[in-house]
Amino acid sequence: MPYDDRIPPTRRGRPLLTAAALACLSLTVAGCGGGGSGVATPPRTGGAGSAGSAAPSAPASTTPAPSSASATPSASAKPLPKGPLTGKTVVIDPGHNPRNREHTREIARLVDIGTGRKECDTTGTATNAGYAEAQFTLDVSRRLRTLLEARGAKVVMTHDNDRPFGPCVDERARIGNKAGADAAVSVHADGSATGNRGFHVILPARVRGGAADTADIVEPSRELGTRIAGLFVRATGSAPSNYIGDKTGLDTRDDLGGLNLSTVPKVFVECGNMRDPKDAALLTDPDWRQKAALGMAEGISSYLKG
């Protein structure tokens, strides 16, 4: 499959939780989730599409693209309310970039991920009706930012449709490192075969090589990912993946630069499979995307308050 920054040829690592344990976790830690009521503030910008098979329109950008690939990561600029996450910094990494497809040469450039070299970025996948993963990740990330800021967190976005392509996977990791993030989450959706359904959370493997050394983040990232997985089930009603992670909702990988090069706790959340019609109907539904953002916000809050 072409989206090789996220889809492994074989599943790596051992499952960490059973599906039953995930369901239990969703009930036992929900009270620690940071004050979410289930009714969230609307996102700052558009991007909500129509549900079902019709491809929603892309969210409009109010910020012109810079002239180069380098851009300052967007962070909270307004005064934040006091809340349970006051003093915490969260980096949100919307997977891919809606304009990557216009810069195929640039995103094909190889970058060092510690254990080897890999493409700067990819275009990501899309539903059969053409709703791009990059549009999905940007919309969910903006919703997630709104929820976390309402709880007092400082939020840094690796990009906000404000640059022509990327950032590259190594830069995405550096943004979280530079911010000294208490938690970092990369938002994605998968591109697998029809019939493969559900979400999974990718955890960093223990990796050491070149600039990569994940020894200090493996355990806290596992805790972050476990809490997100349990509360994602509760918020969305979606089941853990039936094709990756032995139905635990968790998978461990050693081939992702965004994880290998991170020095702060970080996970990837694959919210569902865009190529399966049933999952695609969820991913294109703005109400479900709000639930997905809420599940991640609850999981992050539970981790940061724990």
Side-chain angles (χ1 to χ4, degrees):
M1 289 174 280
Y3 315 110
D4 62 352
D5 190 50
R6 298 167 298 101
I7 302 173
T10 57
R11 185 180 63 82
R12 292 176 168 83
R14 295 179 60 84
L16 301 176
L17 290 177
T18 64
L22 268 183
C24 179
L25 176 66
S26 73
L27 296 176
T28 58
V29 302
C32 310
S37 65
V39 179
T41 306
R44 295 182 182 181
T45 53
S50 58
S53 60
S57 59
S61 172
T62 58
T63 306
S67 58
S68 69
S70 297
T72 302
S74 58
S76 309
K78 62 182 181 181
L80 296 171
K82 296 293 183 182
L85 300 185
T86 296
K88 301 295 186 180
T89 298
V90 179
V91 167
I92 302 174
D93 178 27
H96 312 288
N97 182 320
R99 290 179 257 182
N100 273 359
R101 65 186 67 254
E102 301 167 7
H103 298 273
T104 54
R105 173 183 287 185
E106 290 90 343
I107 67 171
R109 177 174 62 87
L110 298 181
V111 298
D112 190 346
I113 65 166
T115 55
R117 296 179 67 78
K118 206 163 188 178
E119 291 86 353
C120 158
D121 202 1
T122 67
T123 59
T125 187
T127 66
N128 292 334
Y131 180 46
E133 179 188 0
Q135 295 297 147
F136 169 84
T137 65
L138 192 60
D139 179 70
V140 172
S141 294
R142 287 168 171 168
R143 295 170 185 269
L144 177 57
R145 173 179 61 190
T146 298
L147 290 167
L148 292 173
E149 288 184 344
R151 301 176 188 203
K154 174 185 177 182
V155 176
V156 177
M157 299 267 282
T158 60
H159 74 96
D160 193 13
N161 203 23
D162 52 0
R163 53 194 295 161
F165 63 89
C168 295
V169 296
D170 56 340
E171 184 183 353
R172 290 173 188 264
R174 288 195 298 272
I175 290 169
N177 299 345
K178 183 177 179 180
D182 297 288
V185 175
S186 189
V187 180
H188 284 269
D190 211 353
S192 188
T194 298
N196 291 343
R197 296 199 61 197
F199 77 92
H200 63 280
V201 181
I202 303 175
L203 313 175
R206 189 172 293 272
V207 167
R208 186 171 184 179
D213 186 352
T214 61
D216 291 339
I217 69 163
V218 167
E219 291 305 320
S221 296
R222 179 184 299 167
E223 180 68 16
L224 172 63
T226 298
R227 288 178 181 264
I228 289 175
L231 289 164
F232 197 89
V233 170
R234 181 181 176 89
T236 65
S238 292
S241 170
N242 64 7
Y243 62 102
I244 289 177
D246 292 343
K247 299 183 180 179
T248 65
L250 300 170
D251 187 41
T252 302
R253 288 180 60 177
D254 62 7
D255 63 327
L256 299 176
L259 296 181
N260 288 358
L261 300 173
S262 182
T263 59
V264 300
K266 185 173 183 179
V267 298
F268 280 37
V269 182
E270 297 277 4
C271 296
N273 175 21
M274 301 197 93
R275 308 300 290 188
D276 176 82
K278 292 181 180 178
D279 267 12
L282 298 176
L283 298 167
T284 54
D285 179 356
D287 291 335
W288 188 90
R289 293 200 298 271
Q290 187 67 29
K291 293 176 183 178
L294 178 62
M296 284 183 264
E298 293 285 355
I300 293 166
S301 297
S302 175
Y303 168 77
L304 292 178
K305 293 170 62 183

